[in-house]
Amino acid sequence: KSRSVEDYLRGVAQTFTGMGLRDPRLSPHEDSIDIRIRRMLAGWRKEDPPPQRVKPVPLQVIQNLAFIAKHSPDESVRATVDMIILAFFFLLRPGEYTDNSKESESEPFRLEDIQLFVDGRRLDIMTCSHSELMQATFGSLTFTTQKNGVRGEVIGLAKSGHDYICPVLALVRRVIYLRSKNAKGSVPLARLFDEPSRGVSARMITKELRNAVTALGPSLGFTADDVSARCLRAAGANALLLSGIDGDIIRLIGRWKSDEMLRYLHVQAAPLMADYSRRMLESSTYNLLPNQDVPIN
């Protein structure tokens, strides 16, 4: 409630200032937000329920989906899981890895945004042989108009070592499929041909994730209702955090402008928190350097 009102007031203020007028939120004789507005927002913040944050799905959820996709004859299931894998490794937003033309703000990655390499040699993904594609050891995505990305910036990853849950293999599978349909380079990676859906949507991603969470049960620490297509970005960040990757690097890969998400993930991750109590006891016996007011023994 308070956040929505605050965002609306900010939008109104930007309209005023864009016309060369004074920010109407400011006090008449100061450059700070009027105290009445501050008190109103502060009061609503106290009444607001806790924020609904996405739950980062652990690897066992993706393993469950990968097993299903690997043995499924359904192209839409395989494509959906491939996009889940890419979103997890590249920390993607739903609009970046789904194909839904109804979402005007979505900026999905396209076939032409992919690069694949074999030991440093870049492949022409539109003309190289199937066997060359399968030999790829490194893959990348090039940012164009994605949110918080630098146009022309390239983020690449090597093979993960897993025979299915791998960013490079997922890219290869999407290239092979799209090439088999004579797709143009401008076609989104999540596009499906000869399928009723016409493309992997956020709803399809959410459905598969929730099915996997339901199958794995409450031992995960959350329910199916707690996950959606938005959780894969947090899941990838959490995996990097648990691996000891520096928070600044994670922010760069995920294109976060603040460390709010990392703070949330850190306290939610049981493996990170599990050993803290023992370490606190081991490190909490100490003496302080005295100042001159402390008597000498």
Side-chain angles (χ1 to χ4, degrees):
K1 182 177 179 181
S2 64
R3 184 63 179 270
S4 298
V5 174
E6 190 173 7
D7 289 343
Y8 180 80
L9 291 176
R10 184 181 297 111
V12 171
Q14 289 173 346
T15 301
F16 271 73
T17 56
M19 298 170 61
L21 302 175
R22 179 178 169 81
D23 186 338
R25 300 173 301 167
L26 303 181
S27 299
H29 306 295
E30 299 178 15
D31 286 332
S32 60
I33 303 297
D34 190 288
I35 189 171
R36 292 168 293 183
I37 296 179
R38 296 205 306 268
R39 287 176 175 174
M40 176 185 69
L41 294 175
W44 282 341
R45 287 191 192 100
K46 293 178 181 179
E47 299 176 4
D48 284 347
Q52 295 293 319
R53 295 185 182 273
V54 295
K55 299 294 185 183
V57 294
L59 180 61
Q60 53 264 44
V61 172
I62 299 176
Q63 288 173 328
N64 176 278
L65 292 170
F67 178 83
I68 294 171
K70 193 174 182 179
H71 299 89
S72 175
D74 190 334
E75 184 58 51
S76 66
V77 171
R78 296 199 299 269
T80 300
V81 174
D82 277 339
M83 299 317 296
I84 286 173
I85 291 171
L86 291 175
F88 171 76
F89 280 107
F90 284 98
L91 278 56
L92 302 180
R93 296 178 174 86
E96 297 168 350
Y97 71 92
T98 57
D99 179 20
N100 190 340
S101 58
K102 295 180 181 179
E103 298 178 6
S104 59
E105 294 183 358
S106 69
E107 299 291 346
F109 283 99
R110 304 157 300 174
L111 177 58
E112 62 190 7
D113 297 327
I114 291 179
Q115 293 186 102
L116 292 170
F117 300 80
V118 177
D119 298 328
R121 179 174 61 88
R122 185 168 60 175
L123 301 176
D124 184 334
I125 64 170
M126 302 302 285
T127 61
C128 69
S129 67
H130 183 285
S131 62
E132 284 182 300
L133 287 173
M134 295 303 298
Q135 294 173 30
T137 55
F138 191 90
S140 71
L141 292 174
T142 302
F143 287 89
T144 53
T145 55
Q146 287 73 29
K147 184 178 179 181
N148 294 347
V150 177
R151 189 176 183 86
E153 187 174 59
V154 179
I155 292 183
L157 294 168
K159 295 182 76 171
S160 67
H162 193 277
D163 66 353
Y164 202 90
I165 306 173
C166 170
V168 178
L169 293 178
L171 288 174
V172 168
R173 289 191 293 267
R174 294 312 299 153
V175 170
I176 290 174
Y177 170 78
L178 292 173
R179 283 198 344 181
S180 73
K181 304 299 181 180
N182 297 315
K184 296 180 180 180
S186 58
V187 168
L189 286 181
R191 180 63 50 87
L192 285 168
F193 295 85
D194 308 321
E195 297 285 340
S197 62
R198 300 293 295 170
V200 177
S201 66
R203 182 175 296 181
M204 293 166 65
I205 298 286
T206 297
K207 178 184 176 182
E208 294 298 334
L209 289 172
R210 289 181 175 176
N211 286 344
V213 170
T214 299
L216 292 169
S219 62
L220 292 173
F222 54 89
T223 68
D225 290 338
D226 292 322
V227 300
S228 71
R230 294 174 56 241
C231 73
L232 292 167
R233 186 164 145 81
N238 207 41
L240 291 170
L241 190 65
L242 292 171
S243 301
I245 305 300
D246 185 84
D248 289 338
I249 299 299
I250 300 175
R251 281 177 51 198
L252 285 173
I253 297 173
R255 293 158 287 142
W256 278 292
K257 291 185 176 181
S258 72
D259 59 358
E260 180 180 357
M261 177 58 77
L262 293 182
R263 289 201 304 269
Y264 163 70
L265 291 175
H266 197 288
V267 298
Q268 287 286 311
L272 281 178
M273 300 294 291
D275 198 39
Y276 281 6
S277 58
R278 180 188 63 80
R279 292 167 62 182
M280 289 168 72
L281 290 182
E282 287 182 351
S283 306
S284 295
T285 301
Y286 52 81
N287 298 319
L288 299 180
L289 290 174
N291 59 25
Q292 285 82 352
D293 295 331
V294 177
I296 300 174
N297 288 338

